[in-house]
């Protein structure tokens, strides 16, 4: 009896030990997977995989998409201005929007099957996404404007002084024929440095990929080597129509000027028309001027400093969005749906675009990647807003692109903040009771299915009615005698 009991105890201990060993091996396997995943993520960010550069100023290698000859500013921070593109070197001239896209690290995380809310959100996104012809019209107008501005920049060069020009001529005469190639290269570099217009970059919803169906207004920012003045803006306005006609003679464009907005507008005459707004700015307009500088700027006719600083802020926000939001799953989809919501509902209309982008990015960033679907991301945005993030005394939305502590939703009044919170709470309540279609402005799923079924039945009936008529016509044609 004792031997039997002892054998049972030993067998039980062996099973316990095997189970413990299996548990330890599984834990070690999971820890190894986590280490490999963290290593892949770290390698991804170290290599600058998110849209050509990272937040610490390391840009892509020379010749790759997103490379800029002048590099980044001295301050390696997301708060710095957008890097400048170079008009002087044709082989290095690249625009910020030409970077290769990326979906961010650790995108192989398994996800649950899509729920009803996920399908509704995706269907809504497909309804508000721009059609192919709309995107083509916008791309054509923007590309023509950029090429025309490039040609305008070739004609606007800072003229050197007479003394320097005479000294350069004397030095060039003394050089031998073997150094003529080097001299030409130096002249090209000098002409590039003497350009008044350094580069043009896309900003706003165009650069972030947030266009909706029906959006016709896009924005560009033109970086100048000096503070933009009224005379410089007027020169761009006068030379731009001729360059647009050289690029595309078939498409007609109306060019306008606005000194108050420090911008030139390009509008296509074809219906529907695309409006491209080009704002002149310069990194020199970033700092607040002194009293003496203000008087000098007023005398020189410098453009509105607030408009130029706003254009610089848009460049910083575009850089931050491309590095922080584009890699998050469902972020762009959720932003398009929320933009449509802000256009449809009165309570959401006062919410600034930049505050909405920060709200969506921070909400989705707090989600588990394995649960990050379109419907879950939209629900998370409503949860964060319904918790009172915008209410007075709440945490607010800090602007990561400003040096000082700034609330991105500072323009909202107390009543508007309360209306937004109440609307988010109501939307979250509807979403809990499986009525997300009311928030998205869609038909109920049952009604939509019935409508689709009715449409299919109507098409089938029309097909059945057309088939006998076609057979009858064929029979009549075959039985008709041929007369000579």
């Amino acid at each position: 009896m004792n031997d039997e009991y002892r054998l049972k105890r030993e067998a039980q201990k062996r099973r316990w030990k095997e189970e413990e060993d299996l548990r330890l091996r599984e834990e070690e396997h999971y820890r190894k997977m986590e280490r490999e995943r963290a290593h892949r993520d770290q390698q991804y960010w170290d290599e600058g995989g998110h849209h050509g550069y990272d937040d610490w100023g390391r840009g892509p290698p020379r010749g790759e998409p997103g490379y800029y000859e002048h590099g980044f500013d001295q301050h390696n921070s997301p708060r710095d201005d957008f890097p400048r593109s170079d008009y002087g070197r044709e082989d290095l001239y690249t625009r910020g929007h030409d970077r290769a896209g990326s979906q961010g690290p650790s995108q192989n995380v398994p996800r649950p099957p899509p729920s009803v809310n996920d399908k509704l959100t995706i269907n809504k996104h497909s309804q508000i996404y721009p059609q192919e012809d709309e995107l083509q019209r916008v791309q054509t107008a923007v590309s023509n404007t950029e090429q025309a501005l490039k040609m305008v920049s070739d004609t606007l060069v800072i003229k050197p002084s007479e003394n320097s020009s005479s000294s350069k001529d004397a030095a060039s005469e003394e050089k031998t024929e073997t150094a003529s190639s080097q001299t030409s290269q130096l002249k090209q570099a000098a002409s590039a440095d003497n350009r008044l217009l350094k580069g043009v970059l896309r900003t706003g919803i165009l650069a972030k990929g947030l266009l909706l169906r029906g959006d016709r207004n896009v924005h560009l920012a033109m970086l100048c080597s000096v503070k933009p003045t009224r005379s410089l803006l007027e020169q761009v306005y006068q030379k731009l129509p001729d360059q647009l006609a050289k690029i595309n003679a078939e498409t007609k464009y109306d060019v306008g000027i606005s000194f108050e907005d420090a911008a030139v507008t390009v509008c296509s005459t074809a219906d529907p028309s695309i409006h491209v707004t080009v704002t002149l700015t310069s990194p020199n307009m970033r700092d607040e001027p002194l009293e003496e500088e203000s008087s000098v700027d007023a005398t020189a006719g410098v453009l509105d400093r607030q408009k130029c600083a706003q254009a610089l802020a848009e460049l910083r926000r575009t850089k931050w969005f491309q590095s922080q939001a584009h890699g998050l799953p469902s972020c762009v989809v959720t932003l398009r749906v929320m933009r449509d919501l802000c256009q449809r509902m009165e309570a959401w209309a006062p919410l600034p675009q930049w505050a909405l982008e920060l709200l969506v990015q921070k909400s989705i960033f707090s989600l588990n990647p394995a649960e990050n679907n379109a419907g879950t991301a939209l629900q998370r945005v409503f949860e964060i807003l319904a918790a009172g993030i915008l209410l007075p005394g709440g945490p607010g939305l800090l602007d990561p692109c400003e040096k000082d502590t700034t609330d991105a939703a500072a323009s909202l009044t107390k009543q508007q903040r309360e209306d937004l919170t109440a609307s988010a709470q109501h939307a979250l309540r509807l979403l809990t009771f499986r009525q997300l279609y009311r928030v998205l402005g869609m038909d109920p799923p049952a009604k939509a299915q019935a409508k689709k079924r009715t449409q299919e039945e109507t098409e089938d009936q029309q097909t059945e009615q057309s088939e006998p008529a076609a057979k009858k016509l064929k029979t009549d044609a075959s039985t008709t005698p041929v007369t000579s």
Side-chain angles (χ1 to χ4, degrees), residues 283-327:
N284 300 329
M285 305 289 284
R286 179 169 47 188
D287 301 329
E288 290 294 333
L290 302 176
E291 294 182 358
E292 298 178 356
E293 294 181 355
S294 300
S295 60
V296 173
D297 292 347
T299 305
V302 177
L303 297 175
D304 188 4
R305 179 175 294 272
Q306 184 177 0
K307 296 295 182 181
C308 296
Q310 186 177 357
L312 291 176
E314 287 295 330
L315 293 176
R316 295 194 298 269
R317 293 168 183 176
T318 302
K319 175 185 175 182
W320 181 91
F321 185 88
Q322 290 177 345
S323 63
Q324 299 294 330
H326 262 299

Side-chain angles (χ1 to χ4, degrees), residues 119-130 213 333 337:
K119 295 179 181 178
L120 283 174
T121 306
I122 295 299
N123 291 337
K124 181 63 178 179
H125 177 262
S126 62
Q127 294 177 6
I128 63 178
Y129 188 77
R213 185 172 299 182
V333 174
V337 174

Side-chain angles (χ1 to χ4, degrees), residues 130-278:
Q131 297 179 354
E132 187 64 27
D133 56 345
E134 295 183 15
L135 294 176
Q136 186 62 33
R137 282 194 293 268
V138 173
Q139 178 66 23
T140 302
V142 173
S143 299
N144 291 341
T145 304
E146 289 171 341
Q147 295 177 18
L149 290 173
K150 167 68 170 59
M151 297 171 66
V152 171
S153 120
D154 295 338
T155 62
L156 297 178
V157 180
I158 301 176
K159 296 181 180 180
S161 59
E162 295 181 358
N163 295 333
S164 60
S165 62
S166 60
S167 61
K168 288 182 181 179
D169 294 339
S172 61
E173 291 175 358
E174 295 176 358
K175 290 185 178 180
T176 60
E177 295 180 356
T178 57
S180 59
S181 60
Q182 299 179 358
T183 306
S184 61
Q185 294 178 359
L186 292 175
K187 287 182 178 180
Q188 290 179 0
S191 63
D193 294 335
N194 292 336
R195 290 176 178 270
L196 288 174
L197 305 179
K198 288 294 184 180
V200 59
L201 296 168
R202 302 181 183 184
T203 61
I205 59 176
L206 176 64
K208 299 171 185 176
L210 301 178
L211 287 172
L212 297 181
R213 185 172 299 182
D215 286 341
R216 301 286 184 268
N217 300 323
V218 293
H219 294 270
L220 303 177
M222 172 67 74
L223 291 178
C224 307
S225 59
V226 296
K227 294 182 179 180
T229 60
R230 297 173 66 93
S231 61
L232 177 60
L233 183 63
E234 191 169 357
Q235 291 180 22
V236 174
Y237 164 71
Q238 293 176 354
K239 298 185 178 184
L240 190 58
D242 297 336
Q243 307 301 335
L244 286 172
K246 292 180 182 179
I247 293 174
N248 192 347
E250 297 179 356
T251 307
K252 303 298 182 181
Y253 293 96
D254 293 335
V255 181
I257 186 172
S258 176
F259 293 105
E260 294 78 9
D261 297 332
V264 174
T265 59
V266 178
C267 177
S268 61
T269 56
D271 189 31
S273 61
I274 306 298
H275 297 264
V276 182
T277 303
V278 184

Side-chain angles (χ1 to χ4, degrees), residues 436-449:
L436 179 60
Y437 62 89
R438 296 179 58 184
V439 180
L440 300 178
M442 302 173 63
D443 294 331
K447 186 177 179 180
Q449 293 178 2

